[in-house]
Amino acid sequence: MVKYMNDDAQASQGVLKHLKAKQIKQEDVANYLGISRTTLNRKLNGSSEFKISEIKLIHKQYNVPLNLFFEE
């Protein structure tokens, strides 16, 4: 069974803001994760959940602070 982050749109918005501030394109992140940009967009807008493995990859590749994925 794959574990997912709790559905938290506010946290996802923090990740989205960080990516925008660092001028990291959603398309680049999606390609890195091996998912479509539409799927990534759903995750960033809180309508879908990030997998733990995706969180780790985004953190490692793009220096997105882990706390942004879990903010309340």
Side-chain angles (χ1 to χ4, degrees), residues 2-12 15 43 46 48-52 55 66 68-71:
V2 178
K3 294 187 177 185
Y4 295 90
M5 179 186 93
N6 290 336
D7 188 21
D8 186 350
Q10 187 175 2
S12 297
V15 175
K43 293 172 187 260
S48 185
E49 298 175 331
F50 282 98
K51 296 178 183 177
I52 297 296
I55 292 170
L66 290 174
L68 291 180
F69 289 96
F70 303 102
E71 285 183 354

Side-chain angles (χ1 to χ4, degrees), residues 32-33 50-66 69-70:
Y32 180 70
L33 295 176
F50 282 98
K51 296 178 183 177
I52 297 296
S53 60
E54 292 169 336
I55 292 170
K56 289 179 181 179
L57 288 171
I58 293 170
H59 169 69
K60 183 177 178 180
Q61 180 72 14
Y62 299 104
N63 276 335
V64 176
L66 290 174
F69 289 96
F70 303 102

Side-chain angles (χ1 to χ4, degrees), residues 30-43:
N31 288 337
Y32 180 70
L33 295 176
I35 60 176
S36 71
R37 196 184 72 69
T38 301
T39 299
L40 177 65
N41 189 267
R42 286 184 192 129
K43 293 172 187 260

Side-chain angles (χ1 to χ4, degrees), residues 13-26 29 40 44 50 58 62 64 68:
Q13 287 299 310
V15 175
L16 179 59
K17 286 178 185 177
H18 181 83
L19 294 174
K20 285 183 179 181
K22 299 292 183 180
Q23 298 180 340
I24 300 168
K25 296 179 182 180
Q26 287 185 32
V29 177
L40 177 65
L44 291 171
F50 282 98
I58 293 170
Y62 299 104
V64 176
L68 291 180

